Amino acid sequence: QVQLVESGGGSVQAGGSLRLSCVASVSSYCMGWFLQAPGKEREGVARITTGGSTDYASSVKGRFTISRDNNKNTLLLQMNSLRPEDTAMYSCAAGVGGICSLAVSHFSYWGQGTQVTVSA
């Protein structure tokens, strides 16, 4: 069974930074970070392939950086210049197959999530 465990969430003031980590029990070609705010659908934040190709949601470009350590099956998300609208539950996910995008449907395995709260 594939397991994904996130850590690093917390509460910060606007303009602050957080670093999220996710440890996976298996290696996956495509891994990503997603957020879900209360009452809203889950949406993609950033994704990365084993080769290091990345893509970001327009709302986080220039502020967030996704990276991974393939040897340790670890996924990271460095979040800078945080805004109150970034407040959400953040989850990491692993995809199967050769497609890597920000679409929720392309990911099969999900972590439990870690809460990020940004105050004004």
Side-chain angles (χ1 to χ4, degrees), residues 16-116:
S17 299
L18 284 173
R19 188 188 196 204
L20 305 185
S21 298
C22 172
V23 179
S25 60
V26 296
S27 176
S28 175
Y29 168 70
C30 182
M31 297 192 74
W33 286 100
F34 293 77
L35 67 81
Q36 187 166 21
K40 296 187 177 181
E41 293 188 352
R42 181 178 282 169
E43 59 184 79
V45 175
R47 63 84 175 156
I48 185 170
T49 66
T50 49
S53 173
T54 59
D55 192 19
Y56 296 89
S58 57
S59 60
V60 306
K61 279 183 180 177
R63 300 189 298 123
F64 292 9
T65 302
I66 188 171
S67 61
R68 64 188 292 173
D69 184 333
N70 294 327
N71 292 326
K72 297 180 180 179
N73 291 341
T74 299
L75 182 70
L76 303 174
L77 185 68
Q78 179 66 43
M79 305 187 295
N80 299 328
S81 302
L82 282 160
R83 305 166 179 168
E85 54 264 38
D86 295 322
T87 295
M89 181 70 75
Y90 285 73
S91 301
C92 68
V96 296
I99 298 176
C100 195
S101 77
L102 292 173
V104 171
S105 60
H106 289 164
F107 291 82
S108 299
Y109 303 105
W110 297 85
Q112 292 296 311
T114 184
Q115 178 67 36
V116 171

